[in-house]
Amino acid sequence: MAKKQFAVIGMGRFGSSVATTLMELGFDVLAIDRSEQIIQDVSDWATHAVSADTTDEDTLRTLAISNFDVVVVAIGADIQASILTVLILKELGVKQVIVKAQNELHGKLLSKIGADKIVFPERDMGMRLAHNLVSPNILEFIELSQEYSIIELKAPAELVGKTLKQLDIRANYRCNVLAIKSGAELNIAPFDDDWVEENDVLVIAGKSKDISKLELDYAD
């Protein structure tokens, strides 16, 4: 099976991080940015790097952008350029366009013009930090939708030495324990008689309002 072809437009911190991670995973990546200086810097490590104005349809045609399986649009503060780029990419038939949004309004506009996936890196990082500030035991917070979330909870002292049945998180918080991490081991779909040990991490899913109650109850 042929490897997926990736292009990343916008070589700021987010775009560069996406591109370098994809390359570390063994994929070839076309890095695109309007700035020639940035592209000169990027060319030292990117598979392919080109300076281009992605709001110009002819330029994207020249790059054969429609041949790429996934294009990540990580343009910074220029919302107009982001929107125009996405419009052109979809018109040219790119299969999957993933876009970094600056705010909720930007995200709504991107959704309306056909973006396949929208990410909010600044908002999501802010949410993770806020949850960690409320409870240092919260190692990770993922918003699945406006209503549901997943957290990774480092087991506080009150949970250690008890079984999931004794804790009864589902009855007390209407949340489900999806997994227990014990060091390098991961117990998927644990049973009621599984014990929570010191330094274990619980992966818990539920409605955001219920997750919040659980967080507050186990905040240090």
Side-chain angles (χ1 to χ4, degrees):
M1 183 181 294
K3 284 186 178 181
K4 281 187 175 182
Q5 300 294 309
F6 294 95
V8 181
I9 299 172
M11 286 293 106
R13 283 178 296 179
F14 177 71
S16 296
S17 177
V18 172
T20 54
T21 302
L22 286 170
M23 290 177 60
E24 288 169 0
L25 292 171
F27 293 93
D28 290 340
V29 179
L30 171 62
I32 305 172
D33 197 279
R34 182 177 292 185
S35 168
E36 292 185 6
Q37 180 59 56
I38 289 175
I39 287 302
Q40 286 181 12
D41 296 337
V42 167
S43 63
D44 292 336
W45 53 262
T47 314
H48 310 286
V50 61
S51 173
D53 177 4
T54 57
T55 64
D56 182 84
E57 183 173 342
D58 291 337
T59 298
L60 289 177
R61 285 186 186 277
T62 301
L63 293 173
I65 202 73
S66 59
N67 292 337
F68 289 84
D69 298 290
V70 182
V71 177
V72 179
V73 180
I75 294 172
D78 192 340
I79 291 177
Q80 182 177 351
S82 168
I83 292 171
L84 286 173
T85 297
V86 173
L87 274 171
I88 296 169
L89 291 172
K90 295 309 294 184
E91 287 177 356
L92 292 178
V94 176
K95 301 179 185 72
Q96 188 173 17
V97 178
I98 300 172
V99 196
K100 169 188 172 182
Q102 298 295 323
N103 51 53
E104 295 293 338
L105 178 58
H106 185 199
K108 288 179 181 178
L109 289 170
L110 292 168
S111 179
K112 288 183 180 296
I113 62 176
D116 298 286
K117 182 178 177 61
I118 300 160
V119 295
F120 299 84
E122 285 85 3
R123 183 201 67 178
D124 293 346
M125 182 57 70
M127 290 173 62
R128 290 189 181 99
L129 175 59
H131 283 274
N132 182 256
L133 290 172
V134 169
S135 174
N137 291 319
I138 303 300
L139 305 180
E140 183 65 275
F141 176 91
I142 301 172
E143 185 182 52
L144 297 177
S145 68
Q146 290 185 338
E147 192 174 1
Y148 291 93
S149 303
I150 291 179
I151 60 169
E152 289 188 354
L153 174 70
K154 182 178 179 182
E158 305 96 295
L159 304 188
V160 174
K162 297 179 180 177
T163 65
L164 293 182
K165 184 176 182 179
Q166 290 173 322
L167 296 175
D168 211 359
I169 288 175
R170 184 166 187 172
N172 292 328
Y173 298 100
R174 293 180 291 186
C175 296
N176 294 313
V177 178
L178 304 180
I180 301 176
K181 293 181 179 180
S182 300
E185 295 183 4
L186 182 63
N187 179 3
I188 298 290
F191 294 106
D192 283 346
D193 58 357
D194 284 334
W195 294 83
V196 177
E197 306 290 348
E198 188 175 2
N199 295 321
D200 278 357
V201 175
L202 307 182
V203 181
I204 304 171
K207 287 189 175 182
S208 297
K209 63 179 182 179
D210 297 323
I211 289 284
S212 294
K213 183 176 186 303
L214 185 151
E215 286 182 78
L216 291 173
D217 282 354
Y218 290 111
D220 286 347

